[in-house]
Amino acid sequence: SSKGIQIVSPTELIKDYVSLHFAEHNILDRLSETSYYSKQYLSSRFKSDTGIPFKSYLQQVRCSAAEHLINCTNMSIPEISEAVGYNDIKYFQNIFKKHRGISPKQLKVHFDQINDRTKEDT
């Protein structure tokens, strides 16, 4: 096997970056500055490779991270909103509900009940 430079597809580049930096803003702008691709190309290539727009993908990743924080920390919903990249809590709540079918607050109550039950069992 040749030890040449691995050519990473723009979509893999985006996914790798998002997995670490999902809370950042203007991600495609950043990637465009550090790669040879325009923001427009990154965006359209991502959609054609994955079938979903970049924005939707980013929202999914952020919602997964938020769900993890709701379940595994005592952070408040506003703190979680900020931690996953949303400065506007109302917007965060809408996005979360759209992707998860439940509001962050409802999910927190749900997890709190499960975690309380688990504590009682031990």
Side-chain angles (χ1 to χ4, degrees), residues 5-117:
I5 296 166
Q6 279 288 298
I7 305 299
V8 178
S9 83
T11 297
E12 289 308 310
L13 186 75
I14 291 170
K15 285 183 170 180
D16 287 347
Y17 189 88
V18 166
S19 69
L20 298 172
H21 304 276
F22 58 81
E24 289 177 12
H25 301 280
N26 308 316
I27 289 172
L28 289 181
D29 291 318
R30 295 230 170 126
L31 280 171
S32 176
E33 286 160 17
T34 56
S35 70
Y36 296 103
Y37 305 111
S38 73
K39 187 181 167 182
Q40 289 70 26
Y41 177 76
L42 288 171
S43 183
S44 65
R45 177 68 192 268
F46 188 88
K47 185 160 198 255
S48 69
D49 284 352
T50 63
I52 57 169
F54 171 72
K55 193 174 157 189
S56 298
Y57 176 74
L58 180 60
Q59 288 173 355
Q60 284 174 15
V61 172
R62 286 174 167 180
C63 287
S64 294
E67 188 168 326
H68 177 76
L69 292 173
I70 290 168
N71 190 13
C72 303
T73 73
N74 290 320
M75 288 168 75
S76 69
I77 302 298
E79 287 170 336
I80 289 169
S81 174
E82 193 119 341
V84 300
Y86 294 113
N87 300 332
D88 179 345
I89 180 144
K90 281 267 182 286
Y91 183 68
F92 165 66
Q93 289 168 326
N94 290 338
I95 295 291
F96 192 89
K97 192 156 189 180
K98 190 178 100 180
H99 283 273
R100 290 290 187 264
I102 185 173
S103 76
K105 195 175 255 131
Q106 288 170 310
L107 189 65
K108 190 168 175 49
V109 167
H110 171 71
F111 280 138
D112 287 347
Q113 286 169 343
I114 290 172
N115 294 333
D116 283 349
R117 264 187 240 129

